[in-house]
Structure formats: structure tokens, C-alpha cells
């Protein structure tokens, strides 16, 4: 039987506390069952499971893709002045395409804890500009900046944000992420994301 033409690129494991459930050993077994040629790990804000994931997935004959769903501060990672109810971070998925990308992702995640921690470990655009090489970027879930702006009705700001990421990562390494999770907001966001992708040729 040929390999599946679908792989998970946005996936939270047991290392995403309160958000992920699947153990890495179970993930490998299920990916093998579905004949997936590759699978990614993108835990929230951390790389704690990266080595376990990489070794187990590789041993299972599947291509491991190491990544992280990072938290991006709306301004500087050093800013801790947000008031109650204000957004302190947006989600963004980063995937390693090579060793350089892995080293850069390690740097980003480490700096998020050391310099950007405010409720969550955060990076910012300044860090992305310095450490984007070797990484593939996905716009993220409904908590991503582009989907959030689209849902709020601010299409111009969403477009400008997507253009910033596209210009930084290049069109070959930046993708607007679609999800199917049964949420009405997701269907609205997906339609707007498809429209935006067509406008920006992404």
C-alpha cells in the first residue's frame, strides 16, 4: 500500500501541558498504521519532547519534522505592560527544514524563556528577523495573528502582517494555515485565509 499523502504538521504531544494528549510512542504507532511518510511535533512554546520524538519517529521508519508553536509578542518581547484582557501573544508554527533551522529554533525557544517570558515564553519580530533561516513558518491557529485579524474584520492589517512574514521567510517558506476543527470561527477564518492566499500568491 502506498504512503498517505497527508501528514500532520501542527501537532501537540504530551509535552504541551493542558493542550496535548498523545504520547510519542502512540503517535509513532498511529502514523505507521496510517502509512504516513512523515509527522511533525509542534508543542506550545517548548522543545522538551524533540529528542524523544526524533529518535522514536526515525526508528519507526518515518521522517520526523521538529517544530514548535511559538508565542509571538505583539510588540517587544521585553514589554510586560499589558493590562487585563489585552493580548500578550499570538501563536505561530515554526518547522525545521535543516540543521540550521533546528539551531535557530533552539535559540528562539531559549530566548523566549530567558528574555520574553510574560505569562508564556514569547519571542518577537526582532528575534524572527535574526533567527528565521532554515525555518518554515505557518500562520497558526485561530490564535495566530493573521487569523485573529481576519476574524476581527481588519483585513488590511491581516494582509500587512502576512506580507511581513512572507517577505521575511519568502513565499517558499511561509504558509497560511487552514484547519478543520468543527468551529464556526474556523470556517470563517478559513474562507478569509483562502482569499488572502490568492491575493498574495501564497
Amino acid at each position: 500500500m502506498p504512503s498517505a499523502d497527508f501528514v500532520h504538521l501542527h501537532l501537540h504531544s504530551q509535552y504541551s501541558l493542558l493542550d496535548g494528549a498523545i504520547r510519542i510512542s502512540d503517535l509513532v504507532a498511529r502514523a505507521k498504521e496510517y502509512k504516513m511518510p512523515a509527522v511533525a511535533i509542534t508543542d506550545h512554546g517548548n522543545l522538551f519532547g524533540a529528542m524523544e520524538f526524533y529518535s522514536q519517529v526515525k526508528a519507526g521508519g518515518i521522517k520526523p519534522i521538529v517544530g514548535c508553536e511559538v508565542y509571538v509578542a505583539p510588540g517587544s518581547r521585553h514589554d510586560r505592560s499589558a493590562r487585563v484582557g489585552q493580548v500578550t501573544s499570538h501563536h505561530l508554527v515554526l518547522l525545521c527544514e535543516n540543521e540550521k533551522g533546528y539551531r535557530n529554533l533552539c535559540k528562539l525557544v531559549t530566548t523566549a524563556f530567558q528574555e520574553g517570558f510574560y505569562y508564556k515564553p514569547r519571542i518577537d519580530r526582532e528575534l524572527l528577523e535574526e533567527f528565521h533561516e532554515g525555518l518554515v513558518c505557518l500562520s497558526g491557529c485561530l490564535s495566530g495573528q493573521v487569523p485573529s485579524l481576519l476574524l476581527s474584520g481588519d483585513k488590511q492589517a491581516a494582509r500587512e502582517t502576512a506580507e511581513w512574514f512572507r517577505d521575511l521567510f519568502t513565499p517558499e517558506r511561509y504558509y497560511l494555515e487552514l484547519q478543520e476543527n468543527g468551529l464556526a470561527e474556523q470556517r470563517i477564518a478559513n474562507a478569509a485565509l483562502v482569499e488572502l492566499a490568492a491575493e498574495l500568491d501564497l
Side-chain angles (χ1 to χ4, degrees):
M1 180 176 169
S3 294
D5 58 4
F6 172 85
V7 300
H8 284 288
L9 295 178
H10 186 152
L11 186 145
H12 302 305
S13 76
Q14 70 213 56
Y15 291 96
S16 283
L17 298 179
L18 303 180
D19 193 53
I22 193 165
R23 293 179 179 86
I24 290 173
S25 58
D26 295 335
L27 170 63
V28 174
R30 187 53 59 95
K32 288 177 73 172
E33 178 186 347
Y34 289 141
K35 302 195 180 303
M36 292 183 174
V39 67
I41 186 174
T42 56
D43 284 315
H44 273 303
N46 77 77
L47 293 169
F48 303 148
M51 295 309 295
E52 179 185 347
F53 168 82
Y54 185 88
S55 59
Q56 288 194 33
V57 170
K58 195 148 182 87
I62 301 166
K63 179 180 180 179
I65 303 171
V66 175
C68 183
E69 185 168 15
V70 296
Y71 300 102
V72 183
S76 169
R77 65 188 181 276
H78 302 291
D79 182 9
R80 292 168 174 79
S81 62
R83 297 180 180 178
V84 175
Q86 283 185 310
V87 174
T88 59
S89 63
H90 294 285
H91 296 192
L92 190 75
V93 176
L94 299 174
L95 303 169
C96 303
E97 65 176 358
N98 51 37
E99 183 179 345
K100 178 70 172 179
Y102 177 72
R103 292 181 183 278
N104 279 336
L105 186 59
C106 287
K107 182 65 176 176
L108 288 167
V109 170
T110 300
T111 308
F113 278 97
Q114 292 177 336
E115 298 180 7
F117 200 95
Y118 183 57
Y119 295 99
K120 295 173 181 175
R122 305 174 308 157
I123 62 171
D124 58 14
R125 288 189 176 190
E126 179 187 21
L127 285 174
L128 284 170
E129 287 174 342
E130 186 175 357
F131 299 108
H132 68 275
E133 187 179 343
L135 293 170
V136 173
C137 180
L138 313 180
S139 61
C141 60
L142 292 176
S143 295
Q145 189 174 13
V146 173
S148 294
L149 288 167
L150 289 171
L151 283 174
S152 73
D154 196 341
K155 292 185 178 181
Q156 182 59 34
R159 181 188 178 100
E160 290 170 0
T161 300
E163 286 176 330
W164 187 89
F165 283 103
R166 178 202 62 192
D167 294 344
L168 179 65
F169 285 93
T170 75
E172 290 74 34
R173 294 189 295 125
Y174 178 63
Y175 295 87
L176 296 178
E177 181 177 348
L178 303 179
Q179 295 187 3
E180 179 48 67
N181 49 30
L183 298 175
E185 295 90 345
Q186 188 70 61
R187 288 192 290 273
I188 295 168
N190 283 349
L193 286 163
V194 169
E195 183 179 323
L196 182 59
E199 291 176 9
L200 300 181
D201 196 25
L202 292 172

